[in-house]
Amino acid sequence: MRWIVRILKWLALAVVLLIVAAVGWSYYVLHSSRPVLEGELSLAGLRQSVSIDRDSAGVAVIHAVDRQDAAFATGFLHAQERYFQMDIARRVGAGELAVLFGDNILPIDRNLRRHRLRQVAEQALRTLPDDQRQVLNSYVTGVNAGLAELSHAPLEYTATGSQPAPWTAADSLLVIMNMYVLLQDFNGEQDYARHVLYQSLPREVADFLAAEGNPEWDAPLVGAPLSLPALPPAEIFSLRGRPATAFIDSSERAWISGSNAWAMSGDFTADGAAIIANDMHLGFFLPNTFYRVQIELEQSSVRLAGVTLPGVPAMIAGSNGHIAWGFTNSAGDWSDIVLLEDFDADSRTYRSAAGRVALRTVTEQIQINGADPEQFEIELTPWGPVYQPEQSDDHYALQWVAHHPASVNLGLLRLEQARTVEQALSVAPEIGIPQQNILVGDRQGAIGWTIAGPIPNRAAGNGSRPSLSSQPGLAWSGWLPAGQYPRVANPADGRLWTANARVVDGEDLEKIGHGYYVLGARAAQIRDGLYALERASEQAMLAIQMDHRAVFLQRWANLLENTVESADRGNRRLDELSVVLADWDNTAASDSAAYPFIRRFRERVFDHVFAPYVSLMWEYYPQFELEKMGDQYEGPLWQLVSTRPEHLLPSRFASWDELLLTSLDQSLKDVSDGGSPAKVRWGDSNQLSMRHPMSAFIPGFAWLFDMPAVPLDGDRHMPLAQRSEHGPVQRMVVRPGAEEMGFMTMPGGQAGNPHAPYYGAGQQAWLDGAPSALLAGEVRYRLRLTPP
């Protein structure tokens, strides 16, 4: 027994020593991979000396003679602070993650590799204009110089057992293509969901459920709100006697993008310059998606201030002193699917307009960390790669903008040089990025909107529903000419806004496509906030960005109160809920007790109302998910709940009142779990989750890597659109020419390494909505880069 105890003690000591050694080694690697902040470095590739100043928050100011040397310095900074992040971005776009993370991630690589985006990037690189190629080459040289100057590769490479590969010019284009993957439907899921809808239900019912707008919430820049399709009559369709076999839980629906941008003309500002506000929304990660840079160019006397995307040399959003610009995802329709008719699984052939055609097959090699490479076969058609949805006999080809070399370039460098709104709007169609709403304002007070990025010319249809492979002329016929782009410049009322919702109507809507537009409630709230202003200031714009009034849910709060009043009032918890609802301040504040009940009540009603329709669609396609269709269900839902047609009442309920009461009971249990409703807080479930990848590799050290989990205000359908893992990854307000008055906040700060002295700097200001300066502060660190 003594020997056993002694052995166990030695084993415990060995485990402790191993943990101490691992922690010590991690500390050493973190310390050795910190960025160089001060001193002087002689680096090949520079043409003239560059200085890099940083303030206490790590915001970098690059002083360079010209844009090429500034690009070198930008690449140096990106590599020093964010190389592993850049590495992931290029490998997501190319479907090459397994080379870092091993065979567990192969399904993701296989799905992405079928798009062959590395080949697209290499083709695009060959056609890149000379001025863009020169800046890109300088940037790439700077990246590799920055990586070489780290005393040790970032800790993430130690954790994954891999080594950083050098940066290439094609990699920078792949980082842009990674944004296509993040922001667009690269699997054709929406078009296929619409196909399933129309295959499963009578046309009148499908039209009703596939509403593309909402007269109460639409807030386009051009045109009127869209009307709702008519309720399907009882003689066409009835739910009575149709049991629902599907269970849906809308609380688990995927988050829909929530970026905001707006502009007010110089008529409303003190100095006559336009004012731009922009908060781009993505997943909350550490390090942040963006990296703040200020570039001072001696040769052209230009100062650029804003955010860059690590891996790319251009300014993404910001100001050059003459114009300021920002982006939101357009949510247009940028991919189409072609159903392969009479597909033969044995011969791998399908029917085309010219007869039966065989699929073309190419083989790609997927490199795997710790294993032999995999030979992966990709089946192709003239339109794009082939998909077969899980548990379906259908096969379809995907036609996607990102498959074309014209989808990616460094046209953002030309935007940096624009001096007026007119020039910026003319440049926008030539920019090779995922199609974005671009809002621009200039120093003279002008404002404008258009789409940045290539718009396909569709030869047949509008792409909202699948085409059949036997139809002729399905391939896109090039790109929309710049002169035909939708555009709004200097509207009479001096206000522009975008928030991922539909922006235009008519012919312009057909050009952008019937895409994944979010409900217009957020856009409408922003619009109303702008019209409430008589004067525009940075503080007023920031107040709209932080607006978490729950305008969208106010009618649902009234319905919930009425439902509570109609319930059995002998229930103590219902009495408490009635008091909580009466005290609601109409916001999604983190300390609100009422908001989570109102929100969950709507979700439960949603689930019960739409479950029978999903059940019918499961008969055709068992993997059907309602959210793949879009975000316009509020119109049909409210129309059903408010008009209460008997034939569209789910058969499990005897009345609409019973459906509402059941939803009340369930939401009460879901949110308070048997406890007092008065003790519930929205912030209990809406807590920030902003994690560094290393916190998963080193258990117990989340305090070192991750940002604190704190309650968050806000929710989806309001300007402060943030949930636990998704929300504004930057906030900017600026008037061109008055950058010293501008604001910029960014969660997580500049650094990717927790040992950097400014790791997490700016987090509290971002949480509080504090007006942090756009321009860098007092110089804290100075680094000089010189040519050899």
Side-chain angles (χ1 to χ4, degrees):
M1 181 62 69
R2 290 178 181 175
W3 279 104
I4 293 174
V5 172
R6 189 175 300 174
I7 289 171
L8 290 175
K9 287 181 177 179
W10 279 107
L11 287 174
L13 179 60
V15 170
V16 170
L17 290 175
L18 284 173
I19 293 173
V20 170
V23 171
W25 176 251
S26 298
Y27 181 91
Y28 165 76
V29 173
L30 283 174
H31 189 78
S32 300
S33 59
R34 292 179 305 167
V36 180
L37 303 180
E38 295 177 303
E40 183 171 313
L41 297 173
S42 176
L43 300 174
L46 267 178
R47 299 182 305 163
Q48 299 185 69
S49 296
V50 172
S51 67
I52 299 174
D53 297 336
R54 287 180 172 94
D55 64 11
S56 59
V59 178
V61 182
I62 298 170
H63 301 271
V65 171
D66 61 24
R67 195 63 183 86
Q68 278 187 245
D69 281 338
F72 180 100
T74 304
F76 181 89
L77 287 167
H78 285 170
Q80 289 260 297
E81 302 268 25
R82 305 288 193 86
Y83 197 79
F84 189 74
Q85 175 190 15
M86 295 163 60
D87 202 353
I88 289 179
R90 65 175 169 180
R91 296 189 185 284
V92 169
E96 298 172 353
L97 289 168
V99 75
L100 294 177
F101 300 106
D103 56 9
N104 287 336
I105 211 160
L106 273 174
I108 295 175
D109 271 3
R110 293 181 189 121
N111 190 28
L112 292 168
R113 184 65 70 89
R114 73 180 71 201
H115 298 291
R116 310 185 76 207
L117 295 186
R118 182 167 287 282
Q119 286 82 355
V120 175
E122 290 169 351
Q123 292 175 41
L125 189 62
R126 289 193 288 271
T127 61
L128 212 60
D130 288 343
D131 58 339
Q132 295 181 24
R133 185 60 186 261
Q134 289 168 3
V135 171
L136 179 55
N137 287 343
S138 293
Y139 175 82
V140 170
T141 304
V143 169
N144 289 317
L147 179 62
E149 287 298 326
L150 293 174
S151 299
H152 198 285
L155 182 59
E156 292 91 337
Y157 290 102
T158 302
T160 57
S162 59
Q163 290 295 323
W167 199 256
T168 70
D171 290 336
S172 287
L173 299 186
L174 278 167
V175 171
I176 297 174
M177 306 201 85
N178 175 50
M179 299 307 292
Y180 275 95
V181 173
L182 290 177
L183 298 174
Q184 296 186 358
D185 179 5
F186 63 91
N187 288 328
E189 292 177 333
Q190 184 184 32
D191 285 356
Y192 189 70
R194 285 173 175 157
H195 170 69
V196 172
L197 175 71
Y198 280 88
Q199 291 292 313
S200 307
L201 298 171
R203 184 177 184 85
E204 293 85 352
V205 182
D207 285 344
F208 176 68
L209 295 178
E212 294 190 0
N214 189 307
E216 296 165 291
W217 298 114
D218 282 358
L221 295 179
V222 177
L226 297 179
S227 59
L228 288 172
L231 282 167
E235 56 269 22
I236 295 293
F237 181 80
S238 175
L239 288 178
R240 307 311 288 169
R242 293 178 184 262
T245 57
F247 172 78
I248 59 175
D249 186 351
S250 54
S251 67
E252 299 176 358
R253 291 180 69 196
W255 176 260
I256 295 172
S257 58
S259 299
N260 304 314
W262 59 86
M264 293 185 72
S265 74
D267 293 338
F268 299 94
T269 63
D271 62 356
I275 191 167
I276 293 287
N278 184 208
D279 47 294
M280 295 182 283
H281 295 213
L282 291 165
F284 288 144
F285 301 110
L286 288 173
N288 190 293
T289 300
F290 297 114
Y291 182 82
R292 294 179 61 182
V293 170
Q294 188 173 316
I295 298 175
E296 310 272 354
L297 297 177
E298 178 184 328
Q299 192 176 77
S300 57
S301 300
V302 168
R303 177 177 63 191
L304 296 163
V307 293
T308 60
L309 179 66
V312 180
M315 193 70 71
I316 302 299
S319 175
N320 66 7
H322 301 282
I323 67 165
W325 68 95
F327 293 107
T328 65
N329 194 25
S330 66
D333 185 6
W334 309 117
S335 63
D336 296 338
I337 69 173
V338 178
L339 288 170
L340 303 182
E341 288 186 278
D342 299 334
F343 185 83
D344 184 85
D346 295 325
S347 64
R348 313 305 287 176
T349 61
Y350 61 93
R351 183 156 57 93
S352 75
R356 295 207 68 78
V357 177
L359 300 177
R360 181 168 67 91
T361 302
V362 298
T363 302
E364 296 224 349
Q365 189 176 84
I366 300 179
Q367 300 293 329
I368 305 170
N369 189 357
D372 293 333
E374 176 180 282
Q375 305 301 313
F376 179 60
E377 288 192 350
I378 303 170
E379 293 183 317
L380 299 170
T381 70
W383 307 287
V386 175
Y387 279 81
Q388 180 183 10
E390 188 177 351
Q391 297 186 37
S392 171
D393 293 330
D394 290 334
H395 289 73
Y396 64 80
L398 179 72
Q399 192 167 202
W400 183 29
V401 172
H403 294 154
H404 302 268
S407 66
V408 60
N409 61 37
L410 293 178
L412 284 166
L413 294 170
R414 289 196 60 201
L415 184 64
E416 294 178 358
Q417 302 168 27
R419 290 180 168 245
T420 66
V421 163
E422 177 58 33
Q423 290 176 6
L425 296 182
S426 297
V427 168
E430 302 173 9
I431 301 174
I433 58 173
Q435 293 70 18
Q436 301 287 291
N437 296 305
I438 179 171
L439 269 292
V440 189
D442 66 27
R443 200 165 183 166
Q444 290 73 42
I447 57 175
W449 163 88
T450 189
I451 294 291
I455 297 178
N457 253 331
R458 289 183 167 93
N462 61 18
S464 62
R465 298 269 298 280
S467 301
L468 299 177
S469 59
S470 62
Q471 296 174 239
L474 296 179
W476 295 341
S477 57
W479 307 100
L480 193 70
Q484 297 180 24
Y485 266 55
R487 175 192 285 203
V488 178
N490 297 317
D493 54 11
R495 299 169 175 88
L496 293 171
W497 60 90
T498 69
N500 312 119
R502 181 179 62 85
V503 177
V504 293
D505 66 355
E507 291 183 5
D508 284 343
L509 178 59
E510 296 304 310
K511 294 172 184 176
I512 300 173
H514 299 254
Y516 206 102
Y517 300 116
V518 303
L519 187 70
R522 177 161 44 90
Q525 196 162 329
I526 292 169
R527 175 203 60 194
D528 294 346
L530 295 177
Y531 278 104
L533 295 175
E534 295 183 1
R535 304 296 295 172
S537 67
E538 286 79 5
Q539 287 282 3
M541 301 296 101
L542 180 60
I544 295 176
Q545 288 177 327
M546 299 302 295
D547 180 9
H548 56 279
R549 291 175 300 125
V551 176
F552 167 69
L553 281 181
Q554 285 175 3
R555 66 184 184 184
W556 285 96
N558 295 334
L559 180 60
L560 177 56
E561 285 189 285
N562 293 337
T563 305
V564 170
E565 289 301 315
S566 68
D568 178 8
R569 297 313 302 274
N571 187 321
R572 176 183 58 81
R573 293 176 65 224
L574 283 179
D575 292 338
E576 288 185 27
L577 179 58
S578 181
V579 173
V580 165
L581 293 173
D583 290 340
W584 185 42
D585 65 355
N586 298 326
T587 73
S590 61
D591 61 354
S592 173
Y595 185 79
F597 289 102
I598 301 165
R599 186 183 196 276
R600 188 58 177 149
F601 174 68
R602 177 187 176 272
E603 289 175 343
R604 279 299 191 178
V605 174
F606 181 104
D607 298 341
H608 291 311
V609 166
F610 289 124
Y613 303 97
V614 174
S615 296
L616 293 171
M617 286 178 272
W618 279 4
E619 293 177 10
Y620 181 88
Y621 176 47
Q623 298 296 313
F624 178 85
E625 297 177 42
L626 201 62
E627 61 266 26
K628 302 299 184 186
M629 285 279 299
D631 190 42
Q632 299 295 331
Y633 290 109
E634 176 66 12
L637 177 62
W638 189 255
Q639 191 172 357
L640 289 168
V641 170
S642 56
T643 62
R644 305 189 179 193
E646 180 69 22
H647 66 290
L648 297 179
L649 172 69
S651 61
R652 63 170 291 196
F653 300 106
S655 68
W656 283 96
D657 284 339
E658 183 188 349
L659 184 151
L660 295 176
L661 288 168
T662 301
S663 300
L664 165 63
D665 289 342
Q666 291 174 333
S667 58
L668 193 60
K669 294 174 184 175
D670 293 343
V671 176
S672 58
D673 194 25
S676 168
K679 294 182 179 179
V680 171
R681 296 294 180 268
W682 171 232
D684 295 341
S685 57
N686 196 33
Q687 287 209 349
L688 178 66
S689 177
M690 189 176 291
R691 304 190 64 194
H692 191 283
M694 283 310 305
S695 66
F697 284 98
I698 309 180
F701 281 80
W703 59 269
L704 174 64
F705 294 99
D706 300 343
M707 292 296 107
V710 296
L712 294 176
D713 296 335
D715 198 6
R716 292 181 58 196
H717 297 300
M718 57 194 67
L720 187 59
Q722 60 184 14
R723 292 297 313 278
S724 298
E725 298 179 345
H726 193 289
V729 294
Q730 55 79 232
R731 293 191 195 100
M732 177 184 73
V733 181
V734 60
R735 283 174 290 143
E739 286 75 18
E740 68 281 357
M741 303 294 294
F743 300 152
M744 175 74 81
T745 56
M746 201 174 77
Q750 291 281 86
N753 187 329
H755 274 215
Y758 40 78
Y759 185 74
Q763 180 75 2
Q764 195 59 49
W766 173 79
L767 287 168
D768 297 340
S772 298
L774 168 68
L775 298 181
E778 182 180 350
V779 177
R780 181 72 175 270
Y781 311 98
R782 175 162 290 162
L783 176 65
R784 185 171 173 81
L785 309 180
T786 64

